[in-house]
Amino acid sequence: MPDGSAKPWLATGVRAVNPTTWEMTIRPGIKFHNGEELTAETVKWNFDRVIDPAKPLRISNSWAALSKVEVVNPTTLRFTFRNPFPLFQTRLTGFFILPQKYVTENGNKYLQEPVGTGPYKFVRWVRDQQFELEANPNYWNGAPKIKRVIFRPIPEASSRVAELISGGVDIITNLVPEAVSAVRASNVAEVRTVPSIRNIFVILNTQAKPGSPLANPKVRLALNYAVDKRAIVKNVLGGFGQPTGCALNPYIFGYDPRACQPYEYNPERAKQLLAEAGYPGGFSMTLGSPNGRYLNDRQVAEAIVGQLAQIGVKVELRVQEWSTYVGQILERKIPTDAVLLGWGNNEFDADNSLYSLFYGGTVRGGPRQVAFSYVRSVPLDNALLQAQRTIDPEQRKKLYLDALKVLRAEAPWLFLYQQEDLYGVSKRIDWKPRPDERLLVADMAIK
Amino acid sequence: MLAYLARRLILVLVVVWGAATLAFFLLFFSGDPVNLLLPLDASPEVRAQFRRANGFDRPVAEQYLHYLSRVVQGDLGVSLRNQTPALRLVLERMPASMLLAAAALLFAVVFGVLAGVLAAVRKGTASEFIVLFLALLGQSMPVFWLGLMLILVFGLELRWLPISGYGTWQHLVLPTLAVGTFSMAAIARLTRGGVLRELRSDHVRTARAKGLSERVVIYKHALRNAAIPVVTVVGLQLGNLLSGAVITETIFAWPGVGRLVLTAVTQKDFPVVQAAVIVFAVLLAVINLAVDLLYSLLDPRVRYH
């Protein structure tokens, strides 16, 4: 659901038999677009693929805790986990069921001509030209209102706006703030926005070199006080963003408004903290930024450079093209003392942000080995690990609050803002954008 | 002539080998594509497995030799993104790119030559001044800016033509103007210069003295010789038009090779970039050869040994 909660869909229910065993019932009578039936066997086959150690898939990591799946009866399955797994329901929302027979018989053809159970059926895909869908009249949740959908990739931002204003298309994504006034003035379309699930931040490399000023929490706090998040959002993002003070945002389970209060803009306090840390005259550091990956990312980085200069911190900015940039980050060969990055939590659960990004925060990383943070904290690791194995939601919330408090004190990142997604939408379309960047046409109607 | 052709064809092979090698090493040293293809939180095991499956874990020399041996066999690899043969992806896009390049070239040659002749014949009049002014403008406008202006004026204000996409002849008009204008301006200036020179030459004076009509003098005698440098430029421009249409294809969402390559580069889809480079190298080498051969048809003095 848009608010981050889950509701029954292909699975009508999941319940914990005990902390490591879950039972799932599936909706009877579901058919794929090619007529193939969705049975408990189909579901088992899908999960077996994901947990097959011989052929790891993109999402295999997310299901590492799953040890086996059994069919109890035609509509019921039993899932056994290696440890208590509170994220089962959350992860199910991102699990898509493939038609077993079609995939085993046709192999990679599936990538060109997908078959699903959803409200729209695949019609045609001409690469980089258009992607066509038509309504599935037999959809179990009722036939969708819009009969035919065409997705067109239009890479250039100004061309997208021109198409929208001239009525060539009904919805455009990634509207740039500079084009907002043009869309508003058009009378045909309007700007619709939604705070995104994505947070933008600067990771501070506390371990890059021995004796780095960034190893001192006071310095990191000083940086957080020295950057005027509100001014950046207002001037660089056209007002489309919300300043944040943690790695979560209100959509995410585990978010706490007090622990996530943005650090106030207070350059005096920042200077004082720097002096206390032994850098009264400031210091020099380097900052990396992508160009064009996130909304006005390079300009945001430039603004940070300017603001940090005011407390005496001289920042040298190095802008890189995204593919090189992300490669260096993932290989942990970051050439700068800090990097600007965004994280879109598609599970709406603190685990996906905090465990993935902070657990075992050494350069080597925790079990999922992402470790963008360079915080080493035993209480933090304990809280995150325990939260991952606790079924009771209240208990989990408390554990995440503990983790957020550690992060608040350590300030391992320079926290910036929660991005807002901008859409240009024709006035005839009845639709509200979602925080997870999905365009679900079944939720739309033409007025 | 045959020996010459054989030598030139060998040269084509060398050029293609050079381009393929360059493409390989440039991409290789830009880092491997595994990190872009897998989600940010994929485990090291998944990454390692993926690297192995695609051969990225082997030494450079081995990867290079393997790549060359495949290319020689006509196998340009499979797209990492789409799991589709890379050559097929490139060839699929060829018609759209060729169509745009051909339309732009036709536009550039027809209007460029007409404008150039007009400016030469009407030397010193307002017509010459207008042609020269427009030519200068056409050569100084960035393609990107011109494309957006065309969209604003003809797509948004006047609503005469579709803004982006592919399919009908109307979709072709604006991208053609955007891509072709620079070449047209270049051709117009060259043609004017060539025709002016020829009009002062002996054989044109002779032709005039014979009492031939002015039209015949200009089009048959003056233009024919003036055409030689123009043909060279057209050949060069064709390469530009084909490969340089990236920006235009992006602005107008035109499904050509330029856009395919741009996407492939940002995704580090090695096989697709390499396939495109090889296809273009072959194409450009052949175009250059064709231009050289065309000289001998235009100018009987040019002979090849």
Side-chain angles (χ1 to χ4, degrees):
Chain A
M1 292 284 98
D3 62 357
S5 65
K7 86 172 193 186
W9 209 246
L10 295 181
T12 50
V14 278
R15 64 182 189 91
V17 181
N18 61 54
T20 57
T21 314
W22 291 74
E23 256 185 25
M24 175 199 281
T25 48
I26 58 168
R27 197 176 290 277
I30 301 270
K31 282 207 165 71
F32 286 96
H33 301 148
N34 65 348
E36 201 176 321
E37 208 171 327
L38 188 153
T39 64
E41 279 300 336
T42 319
V43 176
K44 175 180 158 51
W45 176 81
N46 273 274
F47 277 96
D48 284 346
R49 269 181 91 224
V50 169
I51 61 175
D52 180 359
K55 285 186 195 158
L57 300 177
R58 281 172 64 109
I59 60 165
S60 297
N61 252 338
S62 304
W63 294 93
L66 180 62
S67 69
K68 66 173 186 223
V69 181
E70 299 151 292
V71 173
V72 178
N73 64 47
T75 56
T76 312
L77 295 116
R78 174 166 295 167
F79 290 74
T80 311
F81 291 91
R82 296 190 173 90
N83 47 268
F85 194 58
L87 297 170
F88 185 40
Q89 291 198 47
T90 315
R91 296 256 157 100
L92 281 178
T93 58
F95 195 94
F96 299 95
I97 303 289
L98 306 180
Q100 178 182 359
K101 217 173 118 222
Y102 184 76
V103 174
T104 40
E105 283 170 8
N106 298 296
N108 275 347
K109 184 182 167 202
Y110 184 82
L111 297 172
Q112 312 296 325
E113 290 169 42
V115 166
T117 61
Y120 286 93
K121 291 196 279 194
F122 172 83
V123 177
R124 196 158 73 99
W125 177 33
V126 189
R127 207 186 308 273
D128 275 359
Q129 201 175 322
Q130 62 182 42
F131 185 83
E132 268 181 71
L133 298 171
E134 66 179 12
N136 171 11
N138 305 318
Y139 186 50
W140 61 267
N141 203 14
K145 295 194 192 80
I146 293 174
K147 294 300 163 213
R148 203 168 179 77
V149 192
I150 296 177
F151 289 90
R152 282 182 49 201
I154 308 173
E156 222 292 304
S158 327
S159 317
R160 274 204 300 280
V161 173
E163 279 285 16
L164 175 75
I165 292 175
S166 71
V169 297
D170 284 315
I171 296 179
I172 61 170
T173 60
N174 293 328
L175 180 70
V176 288
E178 298 83 72
V180 163
S181 54
V183 173
R184 285 192 176 140
S186 72
N187 289 324
V188 186
E190 57 200 23
V191 177
R192 294 184 198 167
T193 69
V194 64
S196 160
I197 192 76
R198 194 182 295 281
N199 279 18
I200 307 290
F201 45 82
V202 171
I203 295 173
L204 304 172
N205 186 348
T206 61
Q207 302 168 357
K209 33 193 183 238
S212 159
L214 294 176
N216 188 326
K218 280 192 176 163
V219 172
R220 302 196 297 259
L221 275 174
L223 299 185
N224 273 293
Y225 285 122
V227 171
D228 189 351
K229 275 79 63 180
R230 273 173 219 291
I232 291 182
V233 166
K234 184 165 166 259
N235 300 320
V236 184
L237 304 179
F240 298 106
Q242 325 282 339
T244 55
C246 75
L248 305 179
N249 60 50
Y251 296 117
I252 300 173
F253 177 87
Y255 171 84
D256 183 277
R258 264 184 310 165
C260 291
Q261 184 81 23
Y263 292 83
E264 56 168 334
Y265 172 56
N266 190 340
E268 287 315 311
R269 190 158 170 204
K271 277 187 204 159
Q272 192 193 330
L273 280 165
L274 274 189
E276 282 173 29
Y279 303 96
F283 60 93
S284 300
M285 61 179 274
T286 50
L287 168 68
S289 167
N291 188 9
R293 172 64 183 83
Y294 309 110
L295 191 63
N296 292 347
D297 42 15
R298 182 178 50 80
Q299 291 89 328
V300 169
E302 282 165 359
I304 293 172
V305 172
Q307 295 185 349
L308 291 185
Q310 295 182 358
I311 60 159
V313 176
K314 286 179 279 303
V315 184
E316 184 198 322
L317 182 62
R318 291 193 202 150
V319 179
Q320 277 183 308
E321 171 261 339
W322 173 250
S323 61
T324 317
Y325 186 73
V326 74
Q328 288 171 344
I329 292 174
L330 292 173
E331 299 298 320
R332 293 171 200 92
K333 289 178 195 149
I334 307 175
T336 50
D337 300 319
V339 283
L340 182 98
L341 201 71
W343 185 260
N345 178 332
N346 56 6
E347 291 177 350
F348 293 81
D349 189 286
D351 180 76
N352 180 283
S353 295
L354 301 185
Y355 183 80
S356 298
L357 302 172
F358 294 108
Y359 180 82
T362 64
V363 184
R364 256 174 223 95
R368 270 169 101 181
Q369 309 240 355
V370 180
F372 293 137
S373 97
Y374 297 84
V375 196
R376 226 174 274 175
S377 159
V378 176
L380 175 73
D381 284 358
N382 282 344
L384 294 178
L385 195 63
Q386 234 187 311
Q388 199 177 54
R389 299 189 172 171
T390 304
I391 303 286
D392 176 43
E394 286 311 310
Q395 194 62 34
R396 292 187 73 222
K397 253 192 187 149
K398 257 176 43 206
L399 289 163
Y400 284 129
L401 185 58
D402 291 345
L404 288 175
K405 283 178 179 159
V406 175
L407 292 172
R408 189 98 187 146
E410 286 282 329
W413 292 354
L414 171 46
F415 297 105
L416 293 174
Y417 51 86
Q418 175 186 13
Q419 197 170 289
E420 263 184 49
D421 291 333
L422 272 72
Y423 296 86
V425 186
S426 157
K427 285 185 175 165
R428 70 191 195 114
I429 301 289
D430 184 7
W431 173 71
K432 251 174 55 191
R434 298 163 51 101
D436 58 3
E437 301 175 9
R438 287 192 196 181
L439 287 169
L440 299 184
V441 185
D443 294 345
M444 302 176 190
I446 296 173
K447 284 178 196 164
Chain B
M1 183 75 190
L2 263 175
Y4 170 80
L5 204 63
R7 268 210 312 278
R8 283 296 301 261
L9 284 175
I10 290 171
L11 205 62
V12 167
L13 287 181
V14 173
V15 165
V16 172
W17 168 75
T21 302
L22 206 64
F24 175 85
F25 283 102
L26 282 181
L27 285 172
F28 186 88
F29 290 115
S30 71
D32 75 41
V34 171
N35 295 324
L36 285 176
L37 289 164
L38 296 173
L40 285 182
D41 56 356
S43 73
E45 294 81 51
V46 173
R47 284 181 210 284
Q49 203 265 347
F50 191 88
R51 271 199 187 101
R52 258 197 315 282
N54 287 286
F56 295 131
D57 58 338
R58 279 180 254 141
V60 196
E62 195 185 325
Q63 285 191 49
Y64 174 63
L65 288 178
H66 180 69
Y67 162 68
L68 274 193
S69 73
R70 276 195 300 109
V71 170
V72 169
Q73 291 162 37
D75 171 10
L76 298 188
V78 172
S79 160
L80 298 173
R81 271 279 154 173
N82 303 306
Q83 299 299 317
T84 313
L87 185 61
R88 201 175 91 201
L89 284 178
V90 174
L91 294 182
E92 247 174 43
R93 299 305 195 77
M94 249 357 213
S97 280
M98 295 276 226
L99 180 63
L100 182 54
L105 190 69
L106 189 72
F107 162 73
V109 169
V110 169
F111 287 91
V113 168
L114 283 179
V117 170
L118 181 77
V121 173
R122 302 262 170 88
K123 188 169 163 47
T125 69
S127 310
E128 188 198 18
F129 176 75
I130 291 171
V131 168
L132 283 178
F133 175 74
L134 290 179
L136 188 67
L137 196 68
Q139 283 197 291
S140 5
M141 269 189 299
V143 175
F144 184 78
W145 186 81
L146 178 62
L148 289 179
M149 286 304 123
L150 288 170
I151 287 182
L152 277 181
V153 175
F154 296 102
L156 215 50
E157 286 301 319
L158 300 171
R159 307 230 167 167
W160 287 352
L161 293 159
I163 289 163
S164 66
Y166 178 76
T168 67
W169 68 266
Q170 284 103 328
H171 285 106
L172 187 60
V173 179
L174 295 185
T176 299
L177 293 178
V179 183
T181 298
F182 182 89
S183 303
M184 183 194 69
I187 291 172
R189 290 167 60 134
L190 251 155
T191 308
R192 173 182 163 275
V195 172
L196 276 180
R197 202 176 54 242
E198 292 302 320
L199 285 179
R200 287 193 298 265
S201 70
D202 292 343
H203 74 273
V204 166
R205 236 176 321 187
T206 314
R208 280 211 175 110
K210 279 197 290 190
L212 293 174
S213 76
E214 192 62 14
R215 179 180 292 259
V216 175
V217 169
I218 291 167
Y219 286 96
K220 202 144 175 246
H221 293 264
L223 195 57
R224 179 166 169 157
N225 285 331
I228 292 176
V230 174
V231 167
T232 318
V233 169
V234 167
L236 290 173
Q237 296 290 349
L238 187 60
N240 275 345
L241 294 177
L242 265 176
S243 55
V246 176
I247 298 170
T248 319
E249 286 178 2
T250 304
I251 297 176
F252 293 96
W254 187 263
V257 187
R259 227 176 107 205
L260 176 77
V261 173
L262 191 72
T263 318
V265 166
T266 53
Q267 296 174 338
K268 290 218 170 83
D269 197 340
F270 288 6
V272 174
V273 181
Q274 287 158 349
V277 167
I278 291 169
V279 167
F280 272 107
V282 171
L283 214 62
L284 289 181
V286 168
I287 289 171
N288 276 331
L289 184 55
V291 167
D292 287 351
L293 294 178
L294 205 57
Y295 281 158
S296 66
L297 293 180
L298 280 170
D299 187 346
R301 285 170 302 182
V302 180
R303 282 283 170 268
Y304 297 109
H305 307 288

